[in-house]
Amino acid sequence: MDPVRILLIARFFLIIAELLKSEETKEYFRKKPGDFTRQSKMPFERLIFYVIFRFCTTTNKELAFFYAGISHGDEQITRQSMFDRLKLLKATGWEYLMHQFSVKFYAFCSLT
């Protein structure tokens, strides 16, 4: 693979990371204006990444793998706390996220 293509792919991942961390994305997921405003062991960005990259059979395993993967095992939250955080997410946020991902993906494909 040539270096230009590698740089384009890296740029695409940076664009997606910016999308996931954007304030606009956070607004689409908030049920109440105060959601995801306080500091937490599971801030909005981590919560989104946790949901996207789930693959285990139990929540406890998911949390252990997730926190080990981001090298923050000492910050792991409880299963009940995770369920409480997940309740803060509004379903329409996923529609917005998928739409934006599609727009950015097809814009990227037109460049390659």
Side-chain angles (χ1 to χ4, degrees):
M1 189 176 273
D2 65 278
V4 173
R5 235 177 243 270
I6 292 171
L7 288 174
L8 280 173
I9 292 170
R11 177 69 184 137
F12 175 71
F13 285 123
L14 289 173
I15 289 169
I16 295 303
E18 289 171 16
L19 170 67
L20 293 174
K21 292 181 178 188
S22 75
E23 194 61 35
E24 188 175 359
T25 300
K26 196 182 289 187
E27 284 300 318
Y28 275 95
F29 275 100
R30 282 185 178 135
K31 287 186 177 178
K32 296 181 285 187
D35 290 345
F36 305 113
T37 55
R38 297 181 325 171
Q39 280 204 327
S40 143
K41 289 183 179 179
M42 182 61 86
F44 175 75
E45 294 84 14
R46 279 190 192 172
L47 184 62
I48 295 299
F49 281 115
Y50 169 81
V51 173
I52 291 172
F53 296 108
R54 293 179 72 166
F55 68 93
C56 292
T57 54
T58 66
T59 303
N60 286 335
K61 276 187 185 177
E62 291 283 353
L63 288 170
F65 277 113
F66 177 75
Y67 277 101
I70 62 171
S71 301
H72 289 279
D74 57 327
E75 294 182 12
Q76 187 169 333
I77 63 173
T78 64
R79 194 178 78 179
Q80 184 61 42
S81 182
M82 174 53 75
F83 290 139
D84 290 342
R85 296 298 286 170
L86 289 171
K87 288 178 187 175
L88 297 177
L89 295 176
K90 193 166 44 170
T92 56
W94 295 110
E95 294 171 13
Y96 166 78
L97 197 58
M98 289 307 298
H99 175 74
Q100 290 300 312
F101 178 80
S102 298
V103 166
K104 293 178 185 321
F105 178 76
Y106 287 112
F108 169 75
C109 287
S110 69
L111 295 175
T112 59

